[in-house]
CSV table of all heavy atoms in Angstrom, one decimal:
chain,number,residue,atom,x,y,z
A,94,SER,N,15.8,-11.4,-20.6
A,94,SER,CA,15.8,-10.0,-20.1
A,94,SER,C,15.5,-9.9,-18.7
A,94,SER,O,15.2,-10.9,-18.0
A,94,SER,CB,14.7,-9.2,-20.9
A,94,SER,OG,13.4,-9.7,-20.5
A,95,SER,N,15.7,-8.7,-18.1
A,95,SER,CA,15.5,-8.6,-16.6
A,95,SER,C,14.7,-7.4,-16.3
A,95,SER,O,14.5,-6.5,-17.1
A,95,SER,CB,16.9,-8.5,-16.0
A,95,SER,OG,17.6,-7.4,-16.5
A,96,LEU,N,14.2,-7.4,-15.1
A,96,LEU,CA,13.4,-6.3,-14.5
A,96,LEU,C,14.2,-5.7,-13.4
A,96,LEU,O,15.0,-6.3,-12.7
A,96,LEU,CB,12.1,-6.8,-14.0
A,96,LEU,CG,11.1,-7.4,-15.0
A,96,LEU,CD1,9.9,-7.9,-14.2
A,96,LEU,CD2,10.7,-6.4,-16.1
A,97,VAL,N,13.9,-4.4,-13.1
A,97,VAL,CA,14.5,-3.7,-12.0
A,97,VAL,C,13.4,-3.3,-11.1
A,97,VAL,O,12.4,-2.7,-11.6
A,97,VAL,CB,15.4,-2.5,-12.4
A,97,VAL,CG1,15.9,-1.8,-11.2
A,97,VAL,CG2,16.5,-3.0,-13.2
A,98,GLY,N,13.4,-3.6,-9.8
A,98,GLY,CA,12.4,-3.2,-8.8
A,98,GLY,C,13.0,-2.6,-7.6
A,98,GLY,O,14.1,-2.9,-7.2
A,99,GLN,N,12.3,-1.6,-7.1
A,99,GLN,CA,12.7,-1.0,-5.8
A,99,GLN,C,11.8,-1.4,-4.7
A,99,GLN,O,10.6,-1.6,-4.9
A,99,GLN,CB,12.6,0.6,-6.0
A,99,GLN,CG,13.7,1.2,-6.8
A,99,GLN,CD,13.4,1.2,-8.3
A,99,GLN,OE1,12.2,1.2,-8.7
A,99,GLN,NE2,14.4,1.2,-9.1
A,100,PHE,N,12.4,-1.6,-3.5
A,100,PHE,CA,11.6,-2.0,-2.4
A,100,PHE,C,12.0,-1.2,-1.2
A,100,PHE,O,13.1,-0.7,-1.1
A,100,PHE,CB,11.8,-3.5,-2.1
A,100,PHE,CG,13.2,-4.0,-1.9
A,100,PHE,CD1,13.8,-4.0,-0.7
A,100,PHE,CD2,14.0,-4.5,-3.0
A,100,PHE,CE1,15.1,-4.4,-0.5
A,100,PHE,CE2,15.3,-4.9,-2.8
A,100,PHE,CZ,15.9,-4.9,-1.6
A,101,ARG,N,11.1,-1.2,-0.2
A,101,ARG,CA,11.4,-0.5,1.1
A,101,ARG,C,11.6,-1.7,2.1
A,101,ARG,O,11.0,-2.7,2.0
A,101,ARG,CB,10.2,0.3,1.5
A,101,ARG,CG,10.4,1.1,2.8
A,101,ARG,CD,9.3,2.1,3.0
A,101,ARG,NE,9.4,3.2,2.0
A,101,ARG,CZ,10.2,4.2,2.0
A,101,ARG,NH1,11.1,4.4,3.1
A,101,ARG,NH2,10.2,5.2,1.1
A,102,ILE,N,12.6,-1.5,2.9
A,102,ILE,CA,13.0,-2.6,3.8
A,102,ILE,C,13.1,-2.0,5.2
A,102,ILE,O,13.7,-0.9,5.4
A,102,ILE,CB,14.3,-3.2,3.4
A,102,ILE,CG1,14.7,-4.3,4.4
A,102,ILE,CG2,15.4,-2.3,3.1
A,102,ILE,CD1,15.8,-5.2,3.9
A,103,SER,N,12.6,-2.6,6.2
A,103,SER,CA,12.7,-2.2,7.6
A,103,SER,C,13.3,-3.2,8.5
A,103,SER,O,13.3,-4.4,8.1
A,103,SER,CB,11.3,-1.8,8.1
A,103,SER,OG,10.5,-3.0,8.2
A,104,GLY,N,13.9,-2.7,9.5
A,104,GLY,CA,14.6,-3.6,10.5
A,104,GLY,C,16.1,-3.6,10.4
A,104,GLY,O,16.8,-4.3,11.2
A,105,MET,N,16.6,-2.9,9.4
A,105,MET,CA,18.1,-2.8,9.3
A,105,MET,C,18.6,-1.7,10.2
A,105,MET,O,18.1,-0.6,10.2
A,105,MET,CB,18.5,-2.5,7.9
A,105,MET,CG,18.2,-3.5,6.8
A,105,MET,SD,19.0,-3.2,5.3
A,105,MET,CE,18.5,-1.6,4.9
A,106,THR,N,19.6,-2.1,11.0
A,106,THR,CA,20.1,-1.1,11.9
A,106,THR,C,21.6,-0.9,11.8
A,106,THR,O,22.1,0.0,12.4
A,106,THR,CB,19.8,-1.5,13.4
A,106,THR,OG1,20.3,-2.8,13.6
A,106,THR,CG2,18.3,-1.4,13.6
A,107,CYS,N,22.3,-1.7,11.0
A,107,CYS,CA,23.8,-1.4,10.9
A,107,CYS,C,24.3,-1.9,9.5
A,107,CYS,O,23.5,-2.5,8.8
A,107,CYS,CB,24.5,-2.1,12.0
A,107,CYS,SG,24.9,-3.9,11.8
A,108,ALA,N,25.5,-1.5,9.3
A,108,ALA,CA,26.1,-1.8,7.9
A,108,ALA,C,26.1,-3.3,7.7
A,108,ALA,O,26.1,-3.8,6.5
A,108,ALA,CB,27.4,-1.2,7.8
A,109,ALA,N,26.3,-4.1,8.7
A,109,ALA,CA,26.3,-5.6,8.5
A,109,ALA,C,25.0,-6.1,8.0
A,109,ALA,O,24.9,-7.1,7.3
A,109,ALA,CB,26.7,-6.3,9.8
A,110,CYS,N,23.9,-5.5,8.5
A,110,CYS,CA,22.6,-5.8,7.9
A,110,CYS,C,22.5,-5.6,6.4
A,110,CYS,O,22.0,-6.4,5.7
A,110,CYS,CB,21.5,-5.0,8.6
A,110,CYS,SG,21.3,-5.1,10.3
A,111,VAL,N,23.1,-4.5,6.0
A,111,VAL,CA,23.1,-4.2,4.6
A,111,VAL,C,23.8,-5.3,3.8
A,111,VAL,O,23.4,-5.8,2.8
A,111,VAL,CB,23.7,-2.8,4.3
A,111,VAL,CG1,23.9,-2.6,2.8
A,111,VAL,CG2,22.9,-1.7,4.9
A,112,ASN,N,25.0,-5.6,4.3
A,112,ASN,CA,25.8,-6.7,3.7
A,112,ASN,C,25.1,-8.0,3.7
A,112,ASN,O,25.1,-8.7,2.7
A,112,ASN,CB,27.1,-6.8,4.4
A,112,ASN,CG,28.1,-5.6,4.1
A,112,ASN,OD1,27.9,-5.0,3.1
A,112,ASN,ND2,29.0,-5.4,5.1
A,113,SER,N,24.4,-8.3,4.8
A,113,SER,CA,23.6,-9.5,4.9
A,113,SER,C,22.5,-9.6,3.8
A,113,SER,O,22.4,-10.6,3.1
A,113,SER,CB,23.1,-9.7,6.3
A,113,SER,OG,22.3,-10.8,6.4
A,114,VAL,N,21.7,-8.5,3.7
A,114,VAL,CA,20.6,-8.5,2.8
A,114,VAL,C,21.1,-8.6,1.3
A,114,VAL,O,20.6,-9.3,0.5
A,114,VAL,CB,19.7,-7.2,3.0
A,114,VAL,CG1,18.7,-7.1,1.9
A,114,VAL,CG2,19.0,-7.3,4.3
A,115,GLU,N,22.2,-7.8,1.1
A,115,GLU,CA,22.7,-7.8,-0.3
A,115,GLU,C,23.3,-9.2,-0.6
A,115,GLU,O,23.1,-9.7,-1.8
A,115,GLU,CB,23.8,-6.8,-0.4
A,115,GLU,CG,23.2,-5.3,-0.5
A,115,GLU,CD,24.3,-4.3,-0.6
A,115,GLU,OE1,25.5,-4.6,-0.4
A,115,GLU,OE2,23.9,-3.1,-0.9
A,116,GLY,N,23.9,-9.9,0.3
A,116,GLY,CA,24.5,-11.2,0.1
A,116,GLY,C,23.4,-12.2,-0.2
A,116,GLY,O,23.5,-13.0,-1.1
A,117,ILE,N,22.3,-12.2,0.7
A,117,ILE,CA,21.2,-13.1,0.5
A,117,ILE,C,20.5,-12.9,-0.9
A,117,ILE,O,20.3,-13.9,-1.6
A,117,ILE,CB,20.2,-12.9,1.6
A,117,ILE,CG1,20.7,-13.4,2.9
A,117,ILE,CG2,18.8,-13.4,1.3
A,117,ILE,CD1,20.0,-12.8,4.2
A,118,LEU,N,20.3,-11.7,-1.3
A,118,LEU,CA,19.6,-11.4,-2.5
A,118,LEU,C,20.5,-11.8,-3.7
A,118,LEU,O,20.1,-12.4,-4.7
A,118,LEU,CB,19.2,-10.0,-2.6
A,118,LEU,CG,18.1,-9.6,-1.7
A,118,LEU,CD1,17.7,-8.1,-1.9
A,118,LEU,CD2,16.9,-10.5,-1.9
A,119,THR,N,21.8,-11.5,-3.6
A,119,THR,CA,22.7,-11.8,-4.7
A,119,THR,C,22.8,-13.3,-5.0
A,119,THR,O,23.0,-13.8,-6.1
A,119,THR,CB,24.1,-11.2,-4.5
A,119,THR,OG1,23.9,-9.8,-4.3
A,119,THR,CG2,25.0,-11.4,-5.6
A,120,LYS,N,22.7,-14.1,-3.9
A,120,LYS,CA,22.8,-15.5,-4.0
A,120,LYS,C,21.5,-16.2,-4.5
A,120,LYS,O,21.4,-17.4,-4.8
A,120,LYS,CB,23.2,-16.2,-2.7
A,120,LYS,CG,24.6,-15.9,-2.3
A,120,LYS,CD,25.0,-16.7,-1.0
A,120,LYS,CE,26.3,-16.2,-0.5
A,120,LYS,NZ,26.1,-15.2,0.6
A,121,LEU,N,20.4,-15.4,-4.4
A,121,LEU,CA,19.1,-16.0,-4.8
A,121,LEU,C,19.1,-16.2,-6.3
A,121,LEU,O,19.4,-15.3,-7.1
A,121,LEU,CB,18.0,-14.9,-4.4
A,121,LEU,CG,16.6,-15.4,-4.3
A,121,LEU,CD1,16.4,-16.4,-3.1
A,121,LEU,CD2,15.6,-14.2,-4.1
A,122,PRO,N,18.7,-17.4,-6.7
A,122,PRO,CA,18.6,-17.7,-8.2
A,122,PRO,C,17.8,-16.7,-8.9
A,122,PRO,O,16.7,-16.3,-8.5
A,122,PRO,CB,18.0,-19.1,-8.3
A,122,PRO,CG,18.3,-19.7,-6.9
A,122,PRO,CD,18.3,-18.6,-6.0
A,123,GLY,N,18.3,-16.2,-10.0
A,123,GLY,CA,17.6,-15.2,-10.9
A,123,GLY,C,17.9,-13.8,-10.5
A,123,GLY,O,17.5,-12.9,-11.3
A,124,VAL,N,18.6,-13.5,-9.4
A,124,VAL,CA,18.9,-12.1,-9.1
A,124,VAL,C,20.3,-11.8,-9.6
A,124,VAL,O,21.3,-12.5,-9.4
A,124,VAL,CB,18.9,-11.9,-7.5
A,124,VAL,CG1,19.4,-10.5,-7.2
A,124,VAL,CG2,17.4,-12.1,-7.0
A,125,LYS,N,20.3,-10.8,-10.4
A,125,LYS,CA,21.6,-10.4,-11.0
A,125,LYS,C,22.4,-9.3,-10.2
A,125,LYS,O,23.6,-9.2,-10.3
A,125,LYS,CB,21.3,-9.8,-12.4
A,125,LYS,CG,20.6,-10.8,-13.3
A,125,LYS,CD,20.2,-10.3,-14.7
A,125,LYS,CE,19.6,-11.4,-15.5
A,125,LYS,NZ,19.1,-10.9,-16.8
A,126,ARG,N,21.6,-8.5,-9.5
A,126,ARG,CA,22.2,-7.3,-8.8
A,126,ARG,C,21.3,-6.9,-7.7
A,126,ARG,O,20.1,-6.9,-7.9
A,126,ARG,CB,22.4,-6.2,-9.9
A,126,ARG,CG,23.0,-4.9,-9.4
A,126,ARG,CD,23.2,-4.0,-10.6
A,126,ARG,NE,21.9,-3.6,-11.2
A,126,ARG,CZ,21.1,-2.7,-10.7
A,126,ARG,NH1,21.4,-2.0,-9.7
A,126,ARG,NH2,20.0,-2.4,-11.4
A,127,ALA,N,21.9,-6.6,-6.6
A,127,ALA,CA,21.1,-6.1,-5.4
A,127,ALA,C,21.8,-5.1,-4.7
A,127,ALA,O,23.0,-5.3,-4.3
A,127,ALA,CB,20.6,-7.2,-4.5
A,128,VAL,N,21.2,-3.9,-4.4
A,128,VAL,CA,21.8,-2.9,-3.5
A,128,VAL,C,20.8,-2.4,-2.5
A,128,VAL,O,19.6,-2.3,-2.8
A,128,VAL,CB,22.4,-1.7,-4.3
A,128,VAL,CG1,23.6,-2.1,-5.1
A,128,VAL,CG2,21.3,-1.1,-5.2
A,129,VAL,N,21.3,-2.2,-1.3
A,129,VAL,CA,20.4,-1.7,-0.2
A,129,VAL,C,21.1,-0.5,0.4
A,129,VAL,O,22.3,-0.5,0.6
A,129,VAL,CB,20.1,-2.8,0.8
A,129,VAL,CG1,19.4,-2.3,2.0
A,129,VAL,CG2,19.4,-4.0,0.1
A,130,ALA,N,20.3,0.5,0.8
A,130,ALA,CA,20.8,1.7,1.4
A,130,ALA,C,20.2,1.8,2.8
A,130,ALA,O,19.0,1.8,3.0
A,130,ALA,CB,20.5,2.9,0.6
A,131,LEU,N,21.1,1.8,3.8
A,131,LEU,CA,20.7,1.9,5.2
A,131,LEU,C,20.0,3.2,5.5
A,131,LEU,O,19.0,3.2,6.2
A,131,LEU,CB,21.9,1.7,6.1
A,131,LEU,CG,21.7,1.7,7.6
A,131,LEU,CD1,20.9,0.6,8.0
A,131,LEU,CD2,23.1,1.6,8.3
A,132,ALA,N,20.5,4.3,5.0
A,132,ALA,CA,20.0,5.6,5.3
A,132,ALA,C,18.6,5.9,4.8
A,132,ALA,O,17.8,6.5,5.5
A,132,ALA,CB,21.0,6.7,4.7
A,133,THR,N,18.3,5.3,3.7
A,133,THR,CA,16.9,5.6,3.1
A,133,THR,C,16.0,4.4,3.3
A,133,THR,O,14.8,4.5,3.0
A,133,THR,CB,17.0,5.8,1.6
A,133,THR,OG1,17.7,4.7,1.0
A,133,THR,CG2,17.9,7.1,1.3
A,134,SER,N,16.5,3.3,3.8
A,134,SER,CA,15.7,2.0,3.9
A,134,SER,C,15.1,1.6,2.6
A,134,SER,O,14.0,1.0,2.5
A,134,SER,CB,14.5,2.2,4.9
A,134,SER,OG,15.0,2.4,6.2
A,135,LEU,N,15.8,1.9,1.5
A,135,LEU,CA,15.4,1.5,0.2
A,135,LEU,C,16.4,0.5,-0.5
A,135,LEU,O,17.6,0.6,-0.2
A,135,LEU,CB,15.2,2.7,-0.8
A,135,LEU,CG,14.1,3.7,-0.4
A,135,LEU,CD1,14.2,4.9,-1.3
A,135,LEU,CD2,12.8,3.0,-0.5
A,136,GLY,N,15.9,-0.4,-1.3
A,136,GLY,CA,16.7,-1.3,-2.0
A,136,GLY,C,16.3,-1.4,-3.5
A,136,GLY,O,15.2,-1.0,-3.8
A,137,GLU,N,17.3,-1.9,-4.3
A,137,GLU,CA,17.0,-2.1,-5.7
A,137,GLU,C,17.5,-3.4,-6.1
A,137,GLU,O,18.6,-3.8,-5.7
A,137,GLU,CB,17.6,-1.0,-6.5
A,137,GLU,CG,17.3,-1.1,-8.0
A,137,GLU,CD,17.7,0.1,-8.8
A,137,GLU,OE1,17.0,1.2,-8.7
A,137,GLU,OE2,18.8,0.1,-9.5
A,138,VAL,N,16.7,-4.1,-6.9
A,138,VAL,CA,17.1,-5.5,-7.3
A,138,VAL,C,16.9,-5.6,-8.8
A,138,VAL,O,15.8,-5.2,-9.3
A,138,VAL,CB,16.5,-6.5,-6.5
A,138,VAL,CG1,14.9,-6.5,-6.6
A,138,VAL,CG2,17.0,-7.9,-6.7
A,139,GLU,N,17.8,-6.2,-9.5
A,139,GLU,CA,17.6,-6.5,-10.9
A,139,GLU,C,17.5,-8.1,-11.0
A,139,GLU,O,18.4,-8.8,-10.5
A,139,GLU,CB,18.8,-6.1,-11.7
A,139,GLU,CG,18.7,-6.4,-13.2
A,139,GLU,CD,19.9,-5.9,-14.0
A,139,GLU,OE1,20.8,-5.2,-13.5
A,139,GLU,OE2,19.9,-6.2,-15.2
A,140,TYR,N,16.4,-8.5,-11.6
A,140,TYR,CA,16.1,-10.0,-11.6
A,140,TYR,C,15.5,-10.4,-12.9
A,140,TYR,O,14.9,-9.7,-13.6
A,140,TYR,CB,15.2,-10.3,-10.4
A,140,TYR,CG,13.9,-9.6,-10.4
A,140,TYR,CD1,12.8,-10.4,-10.9
A,140,TYR,CD2,13.7,-8.3,-10.1
A,140,TYR,CE1,11.5,-9.8,-10.9
A,140,TYR,CE2,12.4,-7.7,-10.1
A,140,TYR,CZ,11.3,-8.5,-10.6
A,140,TYR,OH,10.1,-7.9,-10.6
A,141,ASP,N,15.7,-11.7,-13.1
A,141,ASP,CA,15.0,-12.4,-14.2
A,141,ASP,C,13.7,-12.9,-13.8
A,141,ASP,O,13.6,-13.8,-13.0
A,141,ASP,CB,15.9,-13.5,-14.7
A,141,ASP,CG,15.4,-14.2,-15.9
A,141,ASP,OD1,14.2,-14.0,-16.3
A,141,ASP,OD2,16.2,-15.0,-16.6
A,142,PRO,N,12.6,-12.3,-14.4
A,142,PRO,CA,11.2,-12.7,-13.9
A,142,PRO,C,10.9,-14.1,-14.4
A,142,PRO,O,9.8,-14.6,-13.9
A,142,PRO,CB,10.4,-11.7,-14.6
A,142,PRO,CG,11.1,-11.2,-15.8
A,142,PRO,CD,12.6,-11.3,-15.4
A,143,LEU,N,11.7,-14.8,-15.2
A,143,LEU,CA,11.4,-16.2,-15.6
A,143,LEU,C,11.9,-17.1,-14.5
A,143,LEU,O,11.6,-18.3,-14.5
A,143,LEU,CB,12.1,-16.5,-16.9
A,143,LEU,CG,11.6,-15.7,-18.1
A,143,LEU,CD1,12.3,-16.1,-19.4
A,143,LEU,CD2,10.1,-15.9,-18.3
A,144,VAL,N,12.8,-16.6,-13.6
A,144,VAL,CA,13.5,-17.4,-12.6
A,144,VAL,C,13.0,-17.1,-11.2
A,144,VAL,O,12.8,-18.0,-10.4
A,144,VAL,CB,15.0,-17.2,-12.7
A,144,VAL,CG1,15.7,-18.0,-11.6
A,144,VAL,CG2,15.5,-17.6,-14.1
A,145,THR,N,12.8,-15.8,-10.9
A,145,THR,CA,12.3,-15.5,-9.6
A,145,THR,C,11.3,-14.4,-9.7
A,145,THR,O,10.9,-14.0,-10.8
A,145,THR,CB,13.5,-15.0,-8.7
A,145,THR,OG1,13.1,-14.9,-7.4
A,145,THR,CG2,14.1,-13.7,-9.2
A,146,SER,N,10.8,-13.9,-8.5
A,146,SER,CA,9.7,-13.0,-8.5
A,146,SER,C,9.8,-12.0,-7.4
A,146,SER,O,10.6,-12.2,-6.4
A,146,SER,CB,8.3,-13.7,-8.4
A,146,SER,OG,8.3,-14.4,-7.1
A,147,LYS,N,9.0,-11.0,-7.4
A,147,LYS,CA,9.0,-10.1,-6.2
A,147,LYS,C,8.6,-10.8,-5.0
A,147,LYS,O,9.2,-10.6,-3.9
A,147,LYS,CB,8.0,-8.9,-6.5
A,147,LYS,CG,8.4,-7.9,-7.5
A,147,LYS,CD,7.4,-6.8,-7.7
A,147,LYS,CE,7.9,-5.8,-8.7
A,147,LYS,NZ,6.9,-4.7,-9.0
A,148,GLU,N,7.7,-11.8,-5.1
A,148,GLU,CA,7.3,-12.5,-3.9
A,148,GLU,C,8.4,-13.3,-3.4
A,148,GLU,O,8.7,-13.4,-2.1
A,148,GLU,CB,6.1,-13.4,-4.3
A,148,GLU,CG,5.5,-14.2,-3.1
A,148,GLU,CD,4.4,-15.2,-3.5
A,148,GLU,OE1,4.1,-15.3,-4.7
A,148,GLU,OE2,3.8,-15.7,-2.5
A,149,ASP,N,9.2,-14.0,-4.2
A,149,ASP,CA,10.3,-14.8,-3.8
A,149,ASP,C,11.4,-13.9,-3.1
A,149,ASP,O,12.0,-14.2,-2.1
A,149,ASP,CB,11.0,-15.5,-5.0
A,149,ASP,CG,10.2,-16.6,-5.5
A,149,ASP,OD1,9.3,-17.1,-4.8
A,149,ASP,OD2,10.6,-17.1,-6.7
A,150,ILE,N,11.6,-12.7,-3.7
A,150,ILE,CA,12.6,-11.8,-3.2
A,150,ILE,C,12.1,-11.3,-1.8
A,150,ILE,O,12.9,-11.3,-0.8
A,150,ILE,CB,12.8,-10.6,-4.2
A,150,ILE,CG1,13.5,-11.2,-5.4
A,150,ILE,CG2,13.6,-9.5,-3.5
A,150,ILE,CD1,13.4,-10.2,-6.6
A,151,VAL,N,10.9,-10.9,-1.6
A,151,VAL,CA,10.4,-10.5,-0.3
A,151,VAL,C,10.5,-11.6,0.7
A,151,VAL,O,10.9,-11.4,1.8
A,151,VAL,CB,8.9,-10.0,-0.4
A,151,VAL,CG1,8.3,-9.9,0.9
A,151,VAL,CG2,8.9,-8.6,-1.1
A,152,ASN,N,10.1,-12.8,0.3
A,152,ASN,CA,10.2,-14.0,1.2
A,152,ASN,C,11.7,-14.2,1.7
A,152,ASN,O,11.9,-14.5,2.8
A,152,ASN,CB,9.7,-15.2,0.5
A,152,ASN,CG,8.2,-15.3,0.4
A,152,ASN,OD1,7.5,-14.5,1.2
A,152,ASN,ND2,7.6,-16.0,-0.5
A,153,ALA,N,12.6,-14.0,0.8
A,153,ALA,CA,14.0,-14.2,1.1
A,153,ALA,C,14.5,-13.2,2.1
A,153,ALA,O,15.2,-13.5,3.1
A,153,ALA,CB,14.9,-14.2,-0.1
A,154,ILE,N,14.0,-12.0,1.9
A,154,ILE,CA,14.4,-10.9,2.9
A,154,ILE,C,13.7,-11.1,4.2
A,154,ILE,O,14.4,-11.0,5.3
A,154,ILE,CB,13.9,-9.5,2.3
A,154,ILE,CG1,14.7,-9.2,1.0
A,154,ILE,CG2,14.1,-8.4,3.4
A,154,ILE,CD1,14.2,-8.0,0.3
A,155,GLU,N,12.5,-11.6,4.2
A,155,GLU,CA,11.8,-11.8,5.5
A,155,GLU,C,12.3,-13.0,6.2
A,155,GLU,O,12.4,-13.0,7.4
A,155,GLU,CB,10.3,-12.0,5.2
A,155,GLU,CG,9.7,-10.6,4.7
A,155,GLU,CD,8.2,-10.6,4.5
A,155,GLU,OE1,7.6,-11.7,4.4
A,155,GLU,OE2,7.6,-9.5,4.5
A,156,ASP,N,12.8,-14.0,5.5
A,156,ASP,CA,13.5,-15.2,6.1
A,156,ASP,C,14.7,-14.7,6.9
A,156,ASP,O,15.1,-15.4,7.8
A,156,ASP,CB,13.9,-16.2,5.1
A,156,ASP,CG,12.7,-17.0,4.6
A,156,ASP,OD1,11.6,-16.9,5.2
A,156,ASP,OD2,12.8,-17.8,3.6
A,157,ALA,N,15.3,-13.6,6.4
A,157,ALA,CA,16.5,-13.1,7.1
A,157,ALA,C,16.2,-12.2,8.3
A,157,ALA,O,17.1,-11.7,9.0
A,157,ALA,CB,17.4,-12.4,6.1
A,158,GLY,N,14.9,-12.0,8.5
A,158,GLY,CA,14.4,-11.2,9.7
A,158,GLY,C,14.1,-9.8,9.5
A,158,GLY,O,14.0,-9.0,10.4
A,159,PHE,N,13.9,-9.4,8.2
A,159,PHE,CA,13.6,-8.0,7.9
A,159,PHE,C,12.2,-8.0,7.2
A,159,PHE,O,11.7,-9.0,6.7
A,159,PHE,CB,14.6,-7.4,7.0
A,159,PHE,CG,16.0,-7.5,7.5
A,159,PHE,CD1,16.9,-8.5,7.1
A,159,PHE,CD2,16.5,-6.6,8.5
A,159,PHE,CE1,18.1,-8.6,7.6
A,159,PHE,CE2,17.7,-6.7,9.0
A,159,PHE,CZ,18.6,-7.7,8.5
A,160,ASP,N,11.6,-6.8,7.2
A,160,ASP,CA,10.3,-6.7,6.5
A,160,ASP,C,10.6,-5.9,5.2
A,160,ASP,O,11.4,-5.0,5.2
A,160,ASP,CB,9.3,-5.9,7.3
A,160,ASP,CG,8.7,-6.8,8.4
A,160,ASP,OD1,8.4,-8.0,8.1
A,160,ASP,OD2,8.5,-6.3,9.5
A,161,ALA,N,10.0,-6.3,4.1
A,161,ALA,CA,10.2,-5.7,2.9
A,161,ALA,C,8.9,-5.6,2.0
A,161,ALA,O,8.1,-6.5,2.1
A,161,ALA,CB,11.3,-6.4,2.0
A,162,SER,N,8.8,-4.6,1.3
A,162,SER,CA,7.7,-4.5,0.3
A,162,SER,C,8.1,-3.7,-0.9
A,162,SER,O,8.9,-2.7,-0.8
A,162,SER,CB,6.4,-3.8,0.9
A,162,SER,OG,6.7,-2.6,1.4
A,163,PHE,N,7.7,-4.1,-2.1
A,163,PHE,CA,8.1,-3.5,-3.3
A,163,PHE,C,7.3,-2.2,-3.5
A,163,PHE,O,6.1,-2.1,-3.0
A,163,PHE,CB,7.9,-4.4,-4.5
A,163,PHE,CG,9.1,-5.2,-4.8
A,163,PHE,CD1,9.3,-6.4,-4.1
A,163,PHE,CD2,10.1,-4.8,-5.7
A,163,PHE,CE1,10.4,-7.2,-4.3
A,163,PHE,CE2,11.2,-5.6,-5.9
A,163,PHE,CZ,11.3,-6.8,-5.2
A,164,LEU,N,7.9,-1.2,-4.1
A,164,LEU,CA,7.2,0.1,-4.4
A,164,LEU,C,6.3,-0.2,-5.6
A,164,LEU,O,6.6,-1.0,-6.4
A,164,LEU,CB,8.2,1.2,-4.6
A,164,LEU,CG,9.3,1.4,-3.5
A,164,LEU,CD1,10.1,2.6,-3.8
A,164,LEU,CD2,8.6,1.6,-2.1
A,165,GLN,N,5.3,0.7,-5.8
A,165,GLN,CA,4.4,0.6,-6.9
A,165,GLN,C,3.3,-0.5,-6.7
A,165,GLN,O,3.4,-1.3,-5.8
A,165,GLN,CB,5.1,0.4,-8.3
A,165,GLN,CG,5.9,1.7,-8.7
A,165,GLN,CD,7.2,1.3,-9.3
A,165,GLN,OE1,7.3,0.2,-9.9
A,165,GLN,NE2,8.2,2.1,-9.1
B,460,9UX,MO1,23.9,-5.2,12.8
B,460,9UX,MO2,21.7,-6.3,11.4
B,460,9UX,O1,24.7,-5.5,14.5
B,460,9UX,O2,20.5,-7.8,11.6
B,460,9UX,S1,23.8,-7.1,11.5
B,460,9UX,S2,21.8,-5.1,13.4
């Protein structure tokens, strides 16, 4: 089964940033789906909690040079 989480992301300034973040997350093991919106600075990710975690996802985003934190 999978979980869906929303996160806030800062540091994105153009559409290429969106593609970069979505690409990084989609390639991360355990991530099934990732979408990021430039206008709202919000993202959503569907992931398998047996394979990856919110911490892993945040770390991957931060490795790419952005700041992220999950909502809730
Ligand atoms: Mo756009 Mo994002 O020129 O890191 S790719 S700013």
Side-chain angles (χ1 to χ4, degrees):
S94 68
S95 61
L96 297 178
V97 175
Q99 283 86 26
F100 57 87
R101 186 167 292 279
I102 178 167
S103 63
M105 295 192 306
T106 54
C107 82
C110 297
V111 173
N112 290 334
S113 177
V114 171
E115 288 179 346
I117 285 159
L118 291 181
T119 302
K120 289 187 193 93
L121 200 66
V124 172
K125 300 175 178 180
R126 180 175 63 80
V128 290
V129 173
L131 183 61
T133 58
S134 298
L135 293 173
E137 182 171 284
V138 63
E139 180 179 356
Y140 64 100
D141 182 343
L143 299 177
V144 178
T145 190
S146 64
K147 288 180 179 180
E148 184 181 7
D149 287 345
I150 291 164
V151 165
N152 285 339
I154 295 170
E155 291 185 343
D156 284 350
F159 306 99
D160 283 322
S162 57
F163 274 83
L164 307 184
Q165 293 140 28

